[in-house]
Amino acid sequence: MNPARKNTLAVLCMLVVAYLSVFGIWRADDETTRHHIAHGGTVGGLEPREAKDEKEWKAAKSERTGGVLQLGSVPFLDPPFGYNKKRNVERWKMIYTSMLDDTNIVSDDFSLVDYGADEGYFSISAAQAFPKAKVMAVDMGGKGGSIWKKDHDVLKVQEQKIKQYRVGERVIMCQTAVTPEHFFKLSDASTGHDYQYVLSVFHWFTMETRADFEKVLVKLFKNARTTFIELPIAGDFGPRFMKQVGSKHFVKWYDGRSNIEQIIIDSLTAHDVSHKVTMIGSVKWFPGDKAKGEKDWNRDVFRVDLTDSPHPFECQKHFDIYGCAPTTNPEPVEFSKCS
């Protein structure tokens, strides 16, 4: 390459990096990062790597050994894993950013239940990001049958990731099939948790009426102070809508309504529960057929805060109510019990 041209390209690259840094796109030295470093020098169990520019970000993503990558204010498990990695990354950024708004979130102890944890991306991300979080990852395990077509048991991956990210003392695995009955039993046993993640879960439930759906949803919310939740897309109730798993049930739940935020608010209001509902982001879910004039469908992620404090977290009560079974790994697993 001509030396002059090479020097010109080098200067341009430096200017691009400087621009990105100034405007915060690739910065990792903001207030949140400094806040984490002030509380122990690491994000969770591993020292985070920082991506200062796009080249460094791409290089870091190519490292398959795993670690924590700090991009801007958000610590990401790197490389990402779980069902639909891209969506996981997008949703974690939304949830983490929202949780940072909570007072003393980094320094205080808190409990979190992750329903439908799959390979543990969100459970382990939370344990990594918040060093005093106690997380229970709830999933039935297995390969996902014909829907996900995985060639491995998700809980075996979860075990490996818990060890890899050194969060075994704070992440508890629970192998069970989540059911609405669990939400009612937790309430009856006077045990709850501070946070709960309910991502891509409700479409597996089979409530037959709007009233039953609202009872289950509200009982779930009352088990935690803060819930991060997705509900099935409402869509236009046409053929494309009815292709979704569980659509024959949630078409009854929505009762002609298409605004998910309003559906959540209606449920809480009907049961006289003081609340605050906030949409924290949206993720593309179903691409529309442009030839047919269809729009892309997005699934919204909501944060639901209740005024009343939940019952205190008691790990063994949760474990017993969920009916957590030994994992399918033939080797003993130290993470599938309360310490």
Side-chain angles (χ1 to χ4, degrees), residues 58-331:
K58 289 181 178 179
K61 286 205 297 184
S62 68
E63 296 177 12
R64 309 309 295 178
T65 55
V68 181
L69 182 68
Q70 189 86 25
L71 183 61
S73 64
V74 185
F76 293 99
L77 303 185
D78 182 58
F81 55 92
Y83 178 62
N84 202 309
K85 302 175 183 63
K86 184 176 184 296
R87 291 179 193 163
N88 284 354
V89 168
E90 292 174 350
R91 291 181 290 178
W92 170 243
K93 182 178 180 180
M94 299 171 193
I95 292 170
Y96 174 80
T97 303
S98 179
M99 290 180 73
L100 277 184
D101 289 337
D102 296 343
T103 305
N104 301 324
I105 186 69
V106 175
S107 60
D108 283 1
D109 296 344
F110 66 86
S111 56
L112 186 154
V113 172
D114 180 11
Y115 289 113
D118 190 57
E119 294 179 358
Y121 179 80
F122 294 99
S123 299
I124 299 169
S125 291
Q128 270 287 337
F130 304 112
K132 293 192 175 182
K134 190 74 170 181
V135 182
M136 181 170 279
V138 182
D139 197 278
M140 67 183 295
K143 298 182 179 181
S146 60
I147 295 177
W148 294 305
K149 298 179 181 178
K150 294 182 177 179
D151 59 359
H152 58 269
D153 184 340
V154 297
L155 293 186
K156 289 184 179 180
V157 175
Q158 191 178 129
E159 290 169 11
Q160 295 166 0
K161 295 296 184 182
I162 289 172
K163 292 178 181 177
Q164 176 183 329
Y165 286 97
R166 307 173 194 172
V167 291
E169 294 183 358
R170 296 184 293 107
V171 177
I172 303 152
M173 295 176 63
C174 172
Q175 177 170 316
T176 193
V178 180
T179 69
E181 185 180 16
H182 291 144
F183 310 148
F184 290 87
K185 287 185 174 182
L186 287 174
S187 178
D188 293 342
S190 298
T191 184
H193 31 272
D194 297 303
Y195 294 88
Q196 56 190 358
Y197 297 163
V198 192
L199 307 174
S200 297
V201 171
F202 258 72
H203 59 287
W204 298 114
F205 295 160
T206 58
M207 291 79 74
E208 291 293 341
T209 67
R210 170 178 169 174
D212 288 340
F213 159 71
E214 291 183 344
K215 288 178 184 176
V216 169
L217 186 63
V218 171
K219 186 61 70 172
L220 165 75
F221 288 145
K222 293 177 77 172
N223 287 332
R225 183 180 70 243
T226 300
T227 302
F228 292 95
I229 188 170
E230 295 170 325
L231 289 177
I233 299 169
D236 54 9
F237 301 102
R240 187 161 58 129
F241 170 88
M242 297 307 294
K243 288 181 180 179
Q244 296 182 86
V245 173
S247 58
K248 68 179 182 179
H249 298 295
F250 54 80
V251 69
K252 300 174 185 176
W253 307 344
Y254 294 168
D255 196 20
R257 299 167 295 171
S258 59
N259 185 322
I260 299 296
E261 182 173 3
Q262 192 60 50
I263 288 168
I264 294 172
I265 292 172
D266 288 348
S267 301
L268 288 161
T269 302
H271 289 80
D272 197 26
V273 177
S274 298
H275 61 273
K276 179 181 178 182
V277 179
T278 308
M279 191 183 86
I280 62 170
S282 188
V283 180
K284 183 182 291 187
W285 216 259
F286 291 149
D289 186 336
K290 300 299 187 292
K292 297 180 180 179
E294 294 177 344
K295 296 181 179 179
D296 294 335
W297 280 4
N298 296 329
R299 182 177 282 185
D300 299 329
V301 182
F302 294 93
R303 172 178 174 142
V304 180
D305 294 289
L306 301 191
T307 302
D308 295 333
S309 298
H311 293 296
F313 176 73
E314 296 182 61
C315 178
Q316 193 58 52
K317 280 188 177 181
H318 277 65
F319 212 76
D320 294 341
I321 287 169
Y322 295 142
C324 304
T327 66
T328 50
N329 192 331
E331 300 176 1

